[in-house]
Amino acid sequence: MTGGHRRILVVEDDPETAGQLVEELTTSGYDVDLAATGREALSHGVARDYAVITIDRMLPDIDGIAVMRQMRDDGVAAPFLIISALGEVDDRVRGLRAGGDDYLVKPFSFVELLARLEALGRRSETIAKETILRVGDLAVDLIARNASRRGRKIPLLPREFQLLEYLVRNEGRVVSRAMLLQHVWDLHFDPSTNIIDVYVGRVRRKVDDAQAYPLIHTIRGIGYCLRAPG
């Protein structure tokens, strides 16, 4: 893992194992958060952006697999490294099929753990680059389905997000109302509808109001264009 994205969530209920993991990972240059229960893990997972999450299968309150599934439902995209004493083939297959990205059986070598974390971190960085669209200070996350400007989240309804995504994907190009109606609503052009103008107005207020510069521009008689200055 490179740059500033070196934060890891360790989900481990055994105090001795958890302490060793936190100490070793911190010494290796990682920022580490610790969760001893499934509920703590769920709370941490949605609150911060992690490069990798390590998770034990056997937690005191919620099974580790159930925690992974819930995190995925909550939009957590970080890769999971399952660390478990359950090492039979069926156990590993079940964990990987449930959403785990890698599986490490206890007891393990810390050198191997670091190597697996580095591999998952590189994969995570590649995915992030491919799934976050940026225009100026606007970031559109295609996995989490949200947008932000200067790090501040923009509250968007699903259709508003689809509209903004289409404009961002066509950065610098003028898109007509007919194009928006077809690609966002999957409808043919109806000259009597004002749904495009209504939705663009909503998105523009959410994206551009109180910002240093506007991104969404009206091209009179044609449609709209999203572009940053310069």
Side-chain angles (χ1 to χ4, degrees):
M1 276 163 272
T2 59
H5 198 199
R6 293 179 65 88
R7 182 167 293 278
I8 293 176
L9 174 61
V10 171
V11 186
E12 173 61 62
D13 67 311
D14 178 66
E16 183 177 354
T17 303
Q20 290 174 348
L21 282 171
V22 171
E23 181 180 357
E24 294 281 4
L25 289 171
T26 301
T27 301
S28 298
Y30 292 100
D31 296 317
V32 184
D33 291 337
L34 177 63
T37 67
R39 289 185 179 85
E40 287 181 15
L42 291 172
S43 178
H44 279 293
V46 298
R48 306 199 72 160
D49 180 27
Y50 293 101
V52 181
I53 298 172
T54 73
I55 187 165
D56 190 2
R57 280 280 306 274
M58 303 173 69
L59 298 172
D61 54 348
I62 309 172
D63 179 76
I65 286 181
V67 173
M68 285 194 306
R69 286 174 172 158
Q70 183 60 55
M71 282 194 185
R72 289 292 187 236
D73 290 343
D74 291 340
V76 175
F80 285 98
L81 171 58
I82 301 170
I83 301 177
S84 177
L86 302 174
E88 297 298 323
V89 172
D90 288 347
D91 295 317
R92 299 198 302 271
V93 168
R94 182 166 180 248
L96 294 170
R97 285 181 172 171
D101 296 273
D102 200 355
Y103 200 109
L104 188 60
V105 179
K106 297 178 181 178
F108 55 85
S109 161
F110 189 74
V111 174
E112 181 181 2
L113 171 66
L114 280 179
R116 289 173 183 261
L117 288 176
E118 290 290 347
L120 289 174
R122 288 193 297 271
R123 188 188 310 171
S124 178
E125 289 174 352
T126 300
I127 291 172
K129 289 175 184 176
E130 293 175 348
T131 59
I132 297 179
L133 307 177
R134 300 183 186 276
V135 178
D137 57 8
L138 172 69
V140 176
D141 190 324
L142 304 179
I143 298 295
R145 306 299 288 175
N146 60 40
S148 61
R149 284 194 72 170
R150 292 184 295 174
R152 179 172 296 181
K153 291 288 179 63
I154 301 170
L156 294 169
L157 298 173
R159 188 73 74 180
E160 293 170 347
F161 180 86
Q162 288 178 264
L163 174 60
L164 180 61
E165 179 187 346
Y166 185 76
L167 290 173
V168 169
R169 288 186 181 277
N170 288 276
E171 175 192 359
R173 294 175 54 195
V174 178
V175 296
S176 66
R177 290 172 176 82
M179 291 167 65
L180 289 170
L181 198 64
Q182 178 182 350
H183 291 282
V184 179
W185 277 266
D186 197 24
L187 297 172
H188 295 295
F189 182 61
D190 178 358
S192 66
T193 184
N194 69 340
I195 190 171
I196 301 298
D197 303 294
V198 170
Y199 268 83
V200 170
R202 289 181 188 172
V203 173
R204 174 183 274 146
R205 285 190 292 274
K206 292 181 178 183
V207 171
D208 286 341
D209 278 3
Q211 297 294 336
Y213 53 84
L215 290 171
I216 301 174
H217 305 270
T218 299
I219 311 301
R220 179 170 293 186
I222 302 176
Y224 302 94
C225 178
L226 187 145
R227 63 175 182 270

